[in-house]
Amino acid sequence: MIFCEFLDKGRVYLDGGTGTELIKRGFVSATENLNVTSPDVLTEIHSSYVKAGSDVVYANTFNCNRKKADKTYPLSELIKGAAKAARKARPKYVLYDCGPIGELMEPNGRLTFEDAYAIFAEQAKIAEEVGFDGAVIETMTDLKELRCALLAFKENSRLPIICSMSFDEGGRTFLGTEVRCFGLCAQSLGAAAVGINCGTGPDVMAENLKLLKEVVSVPVFAKPNAGMPIFKDGKTFYDMDKETFARHLKAIAESGIEILGGCCGTDPSFIEAAVKATSGVPVRKSRAFFDGLCSFAKLVPFGERTVVIGEKINPTNRPLLKQALRDGDAGYVLSLCSEQSEQGADVLDYNVGLPGAEEKTLLPKMITATQDVHALPVCIDTSKPEALENSLRITDGIALINSVNGKKESMEKVFPLAVRYGAYVIALCLDENGIAPTAEARLEVADKIAENAVKHGLDTGRILFDPLTMALSVNSDNGKILLEILDGLAKRGYKTVLGLSNISFGLPARNKLNGALYRIIKERKVTAVIVNPALEENSDPAAVALLQGKDDKCERYISENADVGPEVLPERGVLTLKECVSRGLTKEALAKLEEVLTPDNADEIMNGEIIAGLNELGDRYAAGKVFLPGLIAGSETAKALLDRIKSVCFSEGAAVKATAVIATVKGDVHDIGKNIVRTVASNYGYRMIDLGRDVPCEKILEATEEYGADAVCLSALMTTTLDNMTETVEAVKAKFPDVKILVGGAVVSKEYADSVGAYYSKDAREAAALLEKLFSVRS
C-alpha cells in the first residue's frame, strides 16, 4: 500500500523527538553526520519508536541541505545513510525529513525563490533516487518557503508529500502565516496531509489543530512537543509528563485528528502512552471544504458577501504608475496596495502590462516585493502565460487568475496552470466569435468554458464567470443585458465577477452610475467585483432606471447630470514621514525627507516622525493588524531615513543610546529572528554588533569586551542549543556583571529567561521596547 493511501486508512502513529533523543546520547551538533559515522545509534532510536507503536519514522535528514549540513560528507551519502538506518528499524514507512533552510526569503531576506528551490530540488532528487516512502516538509514558519519546498519535491520526485508548520498560540507562525492559510495552500498544491509540529505542547496545539481541521479536506496530523522547555539543574527539560501528554493527545484524537506523533522532548515512552490512550478512539474521517482565496495571513471566503478586488494596480490612465513600473519602483506599487487595503479591498489585482514591459519578470517582481506587507490575496492579471506561471509560483496562498476566455488556445494555456498551482480563475464570456450581443449567447460561452475546465481537471466551482460589462453610452440596453447574464449564471450555480467601471464610459457623473451598479450587484450577491475600493454605493433613481433598461438612449440620465463635470474618486493625501515609516514606503519617505530636512529640525524629525512611525507600526504589529514582513519593511524605511539624516546633519561617531552584541548561539544555524531584532533595534538608536549564527561563547565574550557592550542579545531556535545559550548567559554574567542580557527565539520562554537571570523578548518589537526601557529616557 502506498503511503498516501495508508494515511487515509485509519489511525496512524508517527514517531517522536529524534533530535532530543540524540541530545540525551551526547550528540548536539552536525548530527546528520551520524548517518555515516554511527548509523546504529539512529537505528536504535528509530527501533525504540517502532516498538512504542510508531507506524512511520522520519529519517535523520532534517538538516540535510547544502546550507545547513556539515561539509564532511556529500549530501547523497548522508541521505542514503539516513534511509538505511531507518529501514533497519523495520517501520511500516520511512519519510525523508525536509527542514527549513534557516534564512529569510526575498523580499525580507536575500534568499531568492530560485535559490531556495534549487536547495530543495537537490534533496528531492536524492530522496527519489534513494527510494523513501514519502517526504515530510516540517517545522516551517514562512509559507513562502513551505510552498517553494513543496513545489520542488512535487516537481522533482514522485514521493507523496505531507507538510507541517510550527504555530504559536493564536494560530500564527512568528512570520505571520495563519494556520488555515497554510493548510489550504499546501492542500491546493497537492499535499497528501497537513499538520502542525513543534512550537507548543498538545494543550496549546489543540486550538490550532481545530482551526486547521475546519478548512481542509485532506488528513490532518499533530506532532506536539512535550510541553515547553524549561531550564533546571543545568539542563533543558520539558514541562509535561507522558501521562499528561497522552491525555491531551486523546482529546486531540477525539476532535477528529487522525494522525498522531510527537516532537521535541517526546521519547518513546510518550509515544507508547499516546498509542495506549488513543488506539480505542474511533477515527472520524470528516472532511471540511473552504471555498475562497487566501494569502499567507488572510482568508477571503466566497459566498458570504461580494468580495472587493482592488483595481488600482493597472497602468491604464495612471501615468505615475506607468513611470513607477518602468523604473521598477515597487514602493509606489506598495503605496497603492496600502491605500486599497485601507479602503476595504479584500483582494488586489496586479496588472503591469504596458508597452515594452517584460511582464514575465516585472509582474512576479512586484508581487514578491509587496504581498508580504499588505497581506491580501493576489489576483494575477495578465494574458501572457509565462508571466502568469512565474507569478503563480511565487504568490503566497491561493491566487485568482485574471483571466481565461472561451478561445481554445486560452483555455489550453490557463487551465493546466490553475490546476498545477491550485488557483481560481476569472472566465470572460467571449470566444473566437468575440463578445456576443445577447445574454443567451454569452451564457452558452460560459457553459462551453465550464465543460472544458472539467476536462482539464478544474472544478467549475473554482471559476468566476465575468459576463463582460459593456458601456451604456453605446447601447442603453447593456445594463439590462448584464443583469440578465448575471441571473443566468447564478441559476447555473456559477460564481460571478465583473469589472463595473466600463458601464459608465462616455457618460457624465460616472461615479454616480458606477455606485448604483455597485449596489445592485451586491444586492444580487455577485461573488466578486473588480473596482476602485473607494467607490461609494448609491441608489440614484436615474442611474437605476438606466441600468434596468428603462431609459432609452440614456436621455433621462444625461439630462439630469449634464452639468456634472469630470469626477475623480478621492485618493489618499500626501503621506507624512510617520505614515511612510509605518507603511514601509522607502522611496516616498526619502523624497519627503528631502523636502523638510534641515540641521535645525533633525532631532524633531527623528523622534516625532521616524521613531513615532516605528512605535505606531509596533502597536499595529502587536494588535495583529500588520505582520512581521510589514514590521521589517517599516524598519528598513526608518533605517534609510536615519542613514540619510546622519549623513547630512551629524558627524561620524554620533552618540548612540547603547551598544549591544547580538548573536545566535553555538550549534544553531538559524538567524532569521536575530537579523530582524538587529534591524528593528538599530533604528531606535542602538549600535548592534552582529556576530552572526553558530557563535561560540568565547567569541561573544571577546566582542563584549572589544566593543564595550552594554547588552548582549542571544537567539536560539533549536531546543538542542538551549544548553549552549545557558552556558553563554552564565559566562557573560560572570565576566561582565553589569551587562544586560536579552534572550529570545522560538524555543525560549519567559520562564527559561527567568531561570537563567536574563531578560526575555518574544519578538523584535519587544526587544526594541526592552532596550528602550533599559537604556533610553523617553519623553
Side-chain angles (χ1 to χ4, degrees):
M1 185 186 304
I2 63 173
F3 176 61
C4 55
E5 290 179 353
F6 178 72
L7 288 178
D8 208 25
K9 203 76 175 173
R11 179 76 64 218
V12 175
Y13 295 102
L14 308 176
D15 60 6
T18 299
T20 44
E21 286 301 286
L22 287 171
I23 294 173
K24 286 182 183 178
R25 291 158 174 78
F27 302 106
V28 177
S29 60
T31 54
E32 66 277 3
N33 288 346
L34 297 173
N35 300 341
V36 177
T37 62
S38 303
D40 290 346
V41 172
L42 296 167
T43 299
E44 183 269 324
I45 293 173
H46 294 318
S47 296
S48 65
Y49 282 117
V50 173
K51 194 175 296 184
S54 297
D55 303 300
V56 182
V57 300
Y58 290 9
N60 184 41
T61 54
F62 184 79
N63 288 328
C64 284
N65 69 65
R66 70 174 79 146
K67 289 278 188 178
K68 277 186 176 179
D70 181 79
K71 302 299 188 289
T72 305
Y73 302 99
L75 281 181
S76 59
E77 191 172 349
L78 293 173
I79 293 171
K80 288 176 184 176
K84 186 176 180 180
R87 291 270 182 225
K88 285 183 70 175
R90 298 185 177 278
K92 292 177 182 176
Y93 297 93
V94 176
L95 301 188
Y96 179 85
D97 186 359
C98 175
I101 295 170
E103 296 182 11
L104 275 175
M105 292 180 65
E106 287 183 327
N108 302 311
R110 296 180 180 178
L111 188 65
T112 67
F113 182 94
E114 292 76 16
D115 288 343
Y117 181 91
I119 290 169
F120 291 122
E122 181 178 26
Q123 299 172 73
K125 291 172 184 175
I126 300 171
E128 168 78 8
E129 180 184 341
V130 169
F132 287 89
D133 298 308
V136 55
I137 300 166
E138 66 154 327
T139 325
M140 295 285 181
T141 57
D142 184 357
L143 186 59
K144 191 182 286 87
E145 186 176 13
L146 184 282
R147 287 186 74 260
C148 186
L150 183 47
L151 285 170
F153 271 82
K154 179 180 171 183
E155 294 169 357
N156 292 278
S157 80
R158 292 165 295 177
L159 300 176
I161 306 160
I162 66 174
C163 301
S164 61
M165 297 187 77
S166 299
F167 296 90
D168 297 330
E169 186 174 3
R172 293 193 184 276
T173 71
F174 88 97
L175 279 169
T177 297
E178 204 265 2
V179 61
R180 293 170 298 175
C181 295
F182 146 68
L184 290 167
C185 179
Q187 174 181 270
S188 74
L189 289 176
V194 296
I196 303 174
N197 81 287
C198 207
T200 66
D203 47 349
V204 174
M205 189 178 286
E207 287 302 310
N208 292 336
L209 287 165
K210 181 180 177 182
L211 292 172
L212 185 59
K213 186 74 175 174
E214 286 175 355
V215 296
V216 299
S217 57
V218 296
V220 175
F221 64 96
K223 226 171 181 281
N225 291 342
M228 295 302 293
I230 56 174
F231 187 76
K232 184 179 179 182
D233 299 329
K235 293 291 181 181
T236 303
F237 299 89
Y238 285 81
D239 64 3
M240 189 174 287
D241 58 40
K242 63 184 180 182
E243 290 80 12
T244 306
F245 179 86
R247 186 173 69 253
H248 284 296
L249 227 57
K250 182 179 180 182
I252 287 173
E254 290 171 341
S255 73
I257 306 302
E258 304 103 308
I259 306 167
L260 305 170
C263 205
C264 299
T266 57
D267 63 29
S269 70
F270 278 73
I271 300 302
E272 184 177 14
V275 171
K276 288 180 179 178
T278 61
S279 58
V281 177
V283 177
R284 294 192 293 109
K285 291 187 180 180
S286 59
R287 298 289 185 254
F289 175 74
F290 175 86
D291 186 19
L293 308 175
C294 71
S295 66
F296 75 97
K298 295 186 179 180
L299 299 174
V300 176
F302 288 134
E304 294 182 1
R305 58 178 176 78
T306 298
V307 170
V308 177
I309 303 171
E311 68 178 7
K312 292 184 182 181
I313 307 172
N314 185 324
T316 305
N317 298 321
R318 289 190 172 92
L320 292 179
L321 178 57
K322 286 181 181 178
Q323 190 59 50
L325 293 174
R326 291 191 182 101
D327 295 342
D329 177 13
Y332 185 77
V333 175
L334 180 57
S335 70
L336 293 177
C337 294
S338 299
E339 181 178 308
Q340 293 181 98
S341 177
E342 292 166 6
Q343 291 168 342
D346 301 303
V347 180
L348 296 183
D349 185 85
Y350 282 75
N351 182 329
V352 301
L354 71 165
E358 282 283 346
E359 282 192 57
K360 65 181 181 181
T361 55
L362 183 59
L363 185 54
K365 176 183 177 181
M366 292 300 154
I367 294 172
T368 296
T370 59
Q371 65 177 335
D372 284 357
V373 180
H374 65 66
L376 296 180
V378 168
C379 178
I380 303 169
D381 192 347
T382 180
S383 60
K384 299 180 178 179
E386 191 173 2
L388 175 59
E389 179 159 21
N390 291 349
S391 299
L392 284 168
R393 287 184 76 76
I394 56 83
T395 297
D396 294 343
I398 297 176
L400 176 62
I401 297 171
N402 188 7
S403 58
V404 71
N405 59 56
K407 297 178 182 178
K408 182 179 179 182
E409 180 185 15
S410 175
M411 292 188 287
E412 289 181 348
K413 288 180 178 178
V414 175
F415 286 147
L417 292 177
V419 173
R420 184 182 307 166
Y421 294 101
Y424 283 69
V425 183
I426 291 174
L428 308 180
C429 293
L430 64 87
D431 58 12
E432 289 84 355
N433 299 315
I435 302 173
T438 67
E440 182 180 358
R442 277 187 243 174
L443 289 169
E444 289 176 358
V445 172
D447 290 334
K448 180 177 76 170
I449 292 172
E451 181 181 350
N452 206 284
V454 172
K455 290 179 181 178
H456 281 88
L458 183 69
D459 189 278
T460 56
R462 296 183 84 86
I463 303 175
L464 282 69
F465 288 91
D466 185 344
L468 297 168
T469 306
M470 309 300 289
L472 287 163
S473 58
V474 176
N475 180 353
S476 57
D477 284 336
N478 275 337
K480 180 181 178 181
I481 294 169
L482 176 67
L483 298 179
E484 287 177 8
I485 301 171
L486 287 172
D487 290 343
L489 292 170
K491 287 179 182 177
R492 287 164 165 78
Y494 295 154
K495 293 182 175 69
T496 50
V497 63
L498 74 156
L500 59 75
S501 60
N502 196 47
I503 195 77
S504 61
F505 179 79
L507 292 173
R510 294 191 65 182
N511 290 347
K512 185 182 293 185
L513 190 52
N514 292 345
L517 178 58
Y518 198 10
R519 170 161 291 188
I520 288 172
I521 64 172
K522 282 189 172 182
E523 290 171 349
R524 272 181 156 78
K525 297 184 179 179
V526 169
T527 308
V529 58
I530 303 172
V531 68
N532 183 332
L535 180 67
E536 296 181 1
E537 305 169 41
N538 70 75
S539 298
D540 179 77
V544 171
L546 177 55
L547 289 166
Q548 293 174 341
K550 298 176 181 178
D551 182 6
D552 188 41
K553 298 179 182 179
C554 313
E555 290 178 351
R556 174 187 171 188
Y557 184 79
I558 291 174
S559 66
E560 291 190 13
N561 295 282
D563 297 332
V564 178
E567 294 177 291
V568 178
L569 284 172
E571 301 287 343
R572 185 180 62 199
V574 177
L575 294 177
T576 65
L577 278 175
K578 178 181 173 181
E579 291 170 327
C580 287
V581 169
S582 69
R583 288 163 177 79
L585 304 176
T586 301
K587 184 175 180 180
E588 290 82 351
L590 288 171
K592 182 68 176 176
L593 181 66
E594 294 301 318
E595 295 175 7
V596 299
L597 178 63
T598 69
D600 294 333
N601 68 5
D603 286 335
E604 180 183 343
I605 288 174
M606 285 193 294
N607 293 307
E609 297 283 350
I610 301 173
I611 300 301
L614 279 174
N615 289 338
E616 178 183 299
L617 178 60
D619 291 342
R620 291 168 62 208
Y621 172 73
K625 295 179 180 179
V626 69
F627 306 100
L628 189 54
L631 184 65
I632 296 171
S635 296
E636 293 293 346
T637 300
K639 181 180 184 300
L641 291 172
L642 291 170
D643 287 347
R644 179 58 180 160
I645 291 173
K646 290 172 185 175
S647 69
V648 172
C649 302
F650 298 104
S651 61
E652 288 292 326
V656 296
K657 294 175 181 176
T659 296
V661 167
I662 185 168
T664 303
V665 298
K666 181 182 178 181
D668 201 321
V669 295
H670 301 81
D671 61 358
I672 293 173
K674 180 263 296 176
N675 291 344
I676 296 166
V677 171
R678 178 199 65 211
T679 299
V680 174
S682 65
N683 290 320
Y684 279 84
Y686 296 93
R687 183 188 183 201
M688 306 299 291
I689 309 299
D690 189 352
L691 303 183
R693 59 188 181 183
D694 191 14
V695 183
C697 177
E698 296 77 18
K699 186 175 179 181
I700 293 171
L701 294 175
E702 290 170 4
T704 303
E705 183 170 14
E706 177 183 351
Y707 294 100
D710 304 289
V712 170
C713 303
L714 301 175
S715 173
L717 270 77
M718 300 167 62
T719 55
T720 56
T721 57
L722 271 181
D723 290 346
N724 294 336
M725 176 178 276
T726 304
E727 176 190 340
T728 304
V729 170
E730 291 178 344
V732 172
K733 287 169 65 178
K735 190 169 183 179
F736 307 103
D738 295 330
V739 169
K740 309 297 184 185
I741 304 173
L742 284 68
V743 296
V747 297
V748 179
S749 64
K750 186 172 188 308
E751 290 73 20
Y752 167 82
D754 291 342
S755 71
V756 297
Y759 294 95
Y760 170 70
S761 61
K762 70 176 181 180
D763 53 38
R765 167 61 176 160
E766 279 198 5
L770 182 54
L771 288 171
E772 288 284 84
K773 182 178 180 180
L774 293 172
F775 298 109
S776 176
V777 179
R778 299 174 61 181
S779 57

